[in-house]
């Protein structure tokens, strides 16, 4: 690869764990961050959770997103950047009627493997949260509350 990872626009490995379509741009590990783009429909978002060994960076590419971090809520719009430090409980949900697109970076990487595992097992939050929580634990993620 010559020291670079290049994902052309519109490309990326697709994944739809939790019903949120995403495209992985960089499969991260201990030395590379995980980077993906996620479509966030109005009202959709993950449960409150904590990454115990990674920081999460969001860049809102389009739309509006409500974030909650350590109990404080705020909105972010197109072009805004939000950094959630390691160990901070957080959640988000889409606010735009036409949906939002968010570029997400998890550093250090490896978080993309969690979403792949959830998809590979065909798990749904509505029926499979105990198994999803087991998988999350393997990737240093803990669910600590409901979605926003």
């Amino acid at each position: 690869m010559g020291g670079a990872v290049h994902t052309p626009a519109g490309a990326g490995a697709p994944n739809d764990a939790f019903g949120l379509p995403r495209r992985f741009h960089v499969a991260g590990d201990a030395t590379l961050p995980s980077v993906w783009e996620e479509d966030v429909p109005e009202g959709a978002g993950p449960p409150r959770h904590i990454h115990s060994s990674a920081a999460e960076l969001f860049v809102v590419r389009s739309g509006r997103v409500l974030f909650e971090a350590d109990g404080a809520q705020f909105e972010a719009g197109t072009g805004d950047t939000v950094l959630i430090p390691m160990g901070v409980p957080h959640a988000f949900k889409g606010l735009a009627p036409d949906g939002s697109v968010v570029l997400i970076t998890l550093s250090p990487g490896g978080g993309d493997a969690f979403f792949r595992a959830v998809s590979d097992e065909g798990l749904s939050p509505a029926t499979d949260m105990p198994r999803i929580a087991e998988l999350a634990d393997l990737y240093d993620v803990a669910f600590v509350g409901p979605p926003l």
Side-chain angles (χ1 to χ4, degrees):
M1 276 198 190
V5 176
H6 174 230
T7 304
N15 178 281
D16 65 353
F18 301 102
L20 296 173
R22 66 187 56 79
R23 291 150 308 283
F24 293 119
H25 296 290
V26 178
D29 58 24
T31 63
L32 288 175
S34 298
V35 181
W36 65 92
E37 190 173 63
E38 192 161 291
D39 298 334
V40 185
E42 183 179 29
R48 285 175 186 85
H49 59 284
I50 297 171
H51 300 276
S52 61
S53 61
E56 193 165 19
L57 179 76
F58 300 85
V59 178
V60 180
R61 295 186 54 149
S62 66
R64 293 199 66 71
V65 179
L66 175 67
F67 285 88
E68 180 180 281
D70 213 13
Q73 291 189 357
F74 55 94
E75 290 184 24
T78 301
D80 289 355
T81 299
V82 175
L83 174 66
I84 309 293
M86 180 185 314
V88 172
H90 63 284
F92 63 90
K93 77 172 179 180
L95 295 177
D98 294 333
S100 301
V101 177
V102 181
L103 184 69
I104 301 172
T105 301
L106 200 62
S107 183
D112 54 295
F114 165 66
F115 293 109
R116 293 177 207 275
V118 168
S119 271
D120 289 350
E121 292 191 27
L123 302 175
S124 164
T127 56
D128 303 310
M129 273 313 286
R131 176 61 182 147
I132 291 170
E134 287 176 9
L135 288 172
D137 191 51
L138 297 175
Y139 298 97
D140 296 328
V141 176
F143 295 107
V144 295
L148 296 177

